[in-house]
């Protein structure tokens, strides 16, 4: 079974930092794309960033570009989202999703991801 397990959420003051982790197991391919998304009540899941294990290409939403960094540790099958200079509007449940590859034109489409983690809450005050 494919499993994605997020961790690292919490409460932080504006301007602070958090690092989220997404552990991957059971995916059929050694190469894949991990996408980070966030969601607040009543709103659609919003793309934050993505990274492709094959070429390490990264993608960012304009709202987080320059503040957040997505990375991979292939040996640990873990993706990370380093979030800096956090703002109250960054507060949400953060999810990681997995798909075969990150297409530049569609990396931010939640419906194209095959599996999702359970989510981790980020609160910024």
């Amino acid at each position: 079974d494919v499993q994605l397990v997020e961790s690292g959420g919490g409460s932080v003051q504006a301007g602070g930092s958090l690092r989220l982790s997404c552990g991957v197991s059971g995916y059929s391919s050694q190469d894949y794309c991990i996408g980070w998304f966030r969601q607040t009540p009543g709103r659609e899941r919003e793309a934050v960033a993505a990274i492709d294990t094959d070429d390490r290409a990264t993608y960012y939403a304009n709202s987080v570009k320059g503040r957040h960094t997505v990375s991979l540790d292939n040996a640990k099958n873990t993706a990370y989202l380093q979030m800096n200079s956090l703002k109250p509007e960054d507060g949400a449940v953060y999810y990681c999703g997995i798909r075969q590859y990150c297409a530049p034109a569609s990396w931010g489409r939640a419906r194209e991801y095959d599996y999702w983690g359970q989510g981790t809450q980020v609160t910024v005050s």
Side-chain angles (χ1 to χ4, degrees):
D1 291 351
V2 178
Q3 285 194 323
L4 283 76
V5 180
E6 298 107 334
S7 61
S11 295
V12 64
Q13 291 188 338
S17 299
L18 283 173
R19 188 178 79 158
L20 306 183
S21 299
C22 174
V24 179
S25 63
Y27 197 65
S28 57
S29 173
Q30 290 187 342
D31 293 321
Y32 47 80
C33 169
I34 292 292
W36 286 99
F37 289 72
R38 63 189 182 189
Q39 191 169 23
T40 54
R43 300 190 66 177
E44 292 187 356
R45 200 162 289 190
E46 175 191 20
V48 176
I51 186 166
D52 197 306
T53 64
D54 185 25
D55 58 6
R56 298 299 180 111
T58 57
Y59 306 87
Y60 294 96
N62 288 335
S63 59
V64 305
K65 201 172 292 185
R67 298 189 297 124
H68 296 358
T69 303
V70 61
S71 62
L72 279 170
D73 185 334
N74 283 59
K76 296 181 180 180
N77 290 323
T78 300
Y80 301 97
L81 182 66
Q82 177 67 45
M83 304 188 296
N84 299 325
S85 302
L86 283 161
K87 305 175 182 180
E89 52 264 41
D90 290 318
V93 178
Y94 281 71
Y95 298 90
C96 62
I98 191 168
R99 55 185 284 186
Q100 183 69 60
Y101 60 93
C102 291
S106 67
W107 70 269
R109 296 177 188 164
R111 65 179 181 271
E112 298 197 13
Y113 286 76
D114 302 318
Y115 301 93
W116 294 92
Q118 82 286 356
T120 185
Q121 178 73 50
V122 171
T123 303
V124 185
S125 60

